[in-house]
Amino acid sequence: MRFPDDVPVLTDDVVTLRAHTEADIDAVHTMCQDPEMQRWTTVPVPYRRENAVTFLTEIVPNGWRDGGMWAWAIEYDGRYAGTVDLRDGEGGVGEVGFAVAPDARGAGVMTRALKLVVRYAFDVLSWDRVIWRAFVGNWGSRRVAWKAGFRGLVVVPGGGRARGVRHDEWIATVGRDDELEPQGHWWAVPELEGDGIRLRAFRATDAKRVVEACNDELTQHWLAGLPSPYQLSDAEAFIESRKDNQASGEGVSWAIADTESDELIGCVSVFDMNNRIDKTLAEVGYWLHPEARGRGVMSTAVRLLVPQAFKPVEEGGFGRRRLVLFAAEGNTASARVAEVNGFTAAGVQRAAGPLRQGEYADIHCFDLLAADRA
Ligand SMILES: CC(C)(COP(=O)(O)OP(=O)(O)OC[C@H]1O[C@@H](n2cnc3c(N)ncnc32)[C@H](O)[C@@H]1OP(=O)(O)O)[C@@H](O)C(=O)NCCC(=O)NCCS
């Protein structure tokens, strides 16, 4: 291929992908000063003007001539807005890489550009599969990949590398027959408020209160799966992992906070939303900080979340058909939360709930159907 003459122009009428020119040097140089760019990609740091010159006059043209990298400049709103490239492709499988200039982010530019190059990889380069890779924590990139139909996300510990340092890596792919549309749900955490409490997203600053609540004797007794003792690092990992829970569609956890002080007094979650057999199911689970017990807080929290769980996805809900809730034999307070919220006692599973001392408690099952409330 001749550069730039043979570089195809790809467009969806909002975003246009074209050959880079030397006129892009300053814009590339500026974009690569961005801390996000340096954190999440493998660009040289510090990034000097000569790095941009080499990239645009050698690396990119050679990629097209030799057929090992196909890089386009992203044109949006009449200016250079980033770069997207395809790489390798041996055996019909290759990778995609991308970056958008800070002042063009959040406008859907990358999602559009990504779909255009993925189509090109399948239709023109005849690839069977495109691989997306990002360092764990690059939520912007993960969201773009999800929106463009990448799926089957896995974490490879230490799988990524930048400037001699290893990073945990996310990898997902899309195949030639796959739809370039989001697979599965990526839940948001709507704020719900009533009777003096607010259900809101967790924050890093909630960690200390989470430790207090999860080290409490009663919490430890009934939730035998919690680490013991429960450390600050456990709380931080729990809070951080909520994002992944939402992004994978698995569940949503709310911090229950006092409306006045906004201090955390508990946690309520819906989870198991990717259940293998029933995609319309969710389980409800919870714990309260010991200071907040005995005054109806959890009954209120569940009352607030039930309509959200049943509301159709198109209306911002979780589209559930059936909620289940489990309380171990003897956990009267938990069973009461289910009953006051209209759940039906649906039987007892014998010796189903592990306790700390190697014993198993009978588990009381409760369920609530969307149809019960119709
Ligand atoms: C990642 C990046 C390319 C996204 O580009 P973009 O043009 O802003 O992406 P889009 O506008 O198409 O965003 C798609 C979605 O991601 C969301 N998003 C973007 N940045 C986000 C972030 N940091 N955290 C969470 N979501 C984010 C957007 O809100 C949007 O979702 P919505 O449509 O539901 O609102 C850009 O932030 C970037 O260049 N980052 C630095 C380089 C980089 O990380 N490259 C990828 C390496 S793997």
Side-chain angles (χ1 to χ4, degrees), residues 47-171:
Y47 195 91
R48 304 183 201 288
R49 196 168 185 282
E50 64 248 34
N51 295 122
V53 172
T54 308
F55 182 64
L56 294 184
T57 60
E58 294 176 31
I59 299 174
V60 169
N62 289 343
W64 282 95
R65 286 182 201 123
D66 305 343
M69 182 175 96
W70 300 262
W72 287 264
I74 305 170
E75 184 95 19
Y76 170 69
D77 207 15
R79 64 186 198 279
Y80 170 89
T83 289
V84 58
D85 69 73
L86 298 166
R87 268 173 251 179
D88 302 334
E90 207 176 315
V93 180
E95 294 183 17
V96 66
F98 48 76
V100 167
D103 64 354
R105 290 185 192 153
V109 167
M110 197 59 243
T111 306
R112 290 173 174 279
L114 182 56
K115 288 187 180 186
L116 287 170
V117 298
V118 168
R119 281 264 71 89
Y120 183 85
F122 295 142
D123 297 346
V124 181
L125 300 177
S126 301
W127 290 9
D128 296 317
R129 188 159 294 278
V130 181
I131 301 172
W132 159 86
R133 307 166 60 169
F135 299 154
V136 167
N138 189 353
W139 288 101
S141 184
R142 177 161 167 180
R143 178 103 179 157
V144 167
W146 173 77
K147 292 199 91 158
F150 284 76
R151 59 200 70 195
L153 183 132
V154 291
V155 179
V156 182
R161 185 173 44 177
R163 299 174 288 274
V165 179
R166 286 278 170 190
H167 300 272
D168 294 348
E169 188 175 54
W170 282 321
I171 299 185

Side-chain angles (χ1 to χ4, degrees), residues 2-257:
R2 286 167 308 154
F3 183 89
D5 303 356
D6 293 339
V7 176
V9 172
L10 311 178
T11 186
D12 66 358
D13 294 333
V14 175
V15 157
T16 298
L17 308 185
R18 55 150 176 90
H20 287 89
T21 74
E22 289 184 25
D24 298 324
I25 289 173
D26 287 331
V28 169
H29 176 236
T30 304
M31 176 173 81
C32 292
Q33 305 308 313
D34 167 49
E36 294 287 307
M37 189 66 198
Q38 302 193 351
R39 178 169 180 198
W40 302 118
T41 76
T42 56
V43 294
V45 175
Y47 195 91
R48 304 183 201 288
R49 196 168 185 282
E50 64 248 34
N51 295 122
V53 172
T54 308
F55 182 64
L56 294 184
T57 60
E58 294 176 31
I59 299 174
V60 169
N62 289 343
W64 282 95
R65 286 182 201 123
D66 305 343
M69 182 175 96
W70 300 262
W72 287 264
I74 305 170
E75 184 95 19
Y76 170 69
D77 207 15
R79 64 186 198 279
Y80 170 89
T83 289
V84 58
D85 69 73
L86 298 166
R87 268 173 251 179
D88 302 334
E90 207 176 315
V93 180
E95 294 183 17
V96 66
F98 48 76
V100 167
D103 64 354
R105 290 185 192 153
V109 167
M110 197 59 243
T111 306
R112 290 173 174 279
L114 182 56
K115 288 187 180 186
L116 287 170
V117 298
V118 168
R119 281 264 71 89
Y120 183 85
F122 295 142
D123 297 346
V124 181
L125 300 177
S126 301
W127 290 9
D128 296 317
R129 188 159 294 278
V130 181
I131 301 172
W132 159 86
R133 307 166 60 169
F135 299 154
V136 167
N138 189 353
W139 288 101
S141 184
R142 177 161 167 180
R143 178 103 179 157
V144 167
W146 173 77
K147 292 199 91 158
F150 284 76
R151 59 200 70 195
L153 183 132
V154 291
V155 179
V156 182
R161 185 173 44 177
R163 299 174 288 274
V165 179
R166 286 278 170 190
H167 300 272
D168 294 348
E169 188 175 54
W170 282 321
I171 299 185
T173 74
V174 67
R176 68 154 51 247
D177 297 326
D178 293 336
E179 248 193 306
L180 304 188
E181 294 299 330
Q183 298 299 302
H185 299 289
W186 183 316
W187 305 117
V189 188
E191 267 196 23
L192 306 170
E193 215 170 300
D195 287 348
I197 63 168
R198 173 182 303 124
L199 307 193
R200 59 157 171 81
F202 271 91
R203 302 179 188 136
T205 48
D206 293 323
K208 192 171 140 284
R209 295 282 291 177
V210 172
V211 172
E212 288 169 18
C214 291
N215 266 328
D216 169 68
E217 207 182 329
L218 213 57
T219 314
Q220 284 272 322
H221 177 71
W222 294 121
L223 299 175
L226 289 179
S228 184
Y230 193 97
Q231 320 261 18
L232 188 61
S233 55
D234 295 317
E236 287 165 350
F238 169 73
I239 292 169
E240 183 58 28
S241 68
R242 297 308 84 195
K243 279 189 211 153
D244 197 77
N245 220 34
Q246 292 164 236
S248 65
E250 168 62 20
V252 168
S253 295
W254 285 271
I256 307 172

Side-chain angles (χ1 to χ4, degrees), residues 347-369:
V348 178
Q349 293 179 10
R350 295 176 305 145
L355 296 175
R356 285 209 182 261
Q357 311 305 333
E359 292 144 21
Y360 289 82
D362 289 352
I363 296 290
H364 291 257
C365 308
F366 297 88
D367 63 22
L368 183 64
L369 301 179

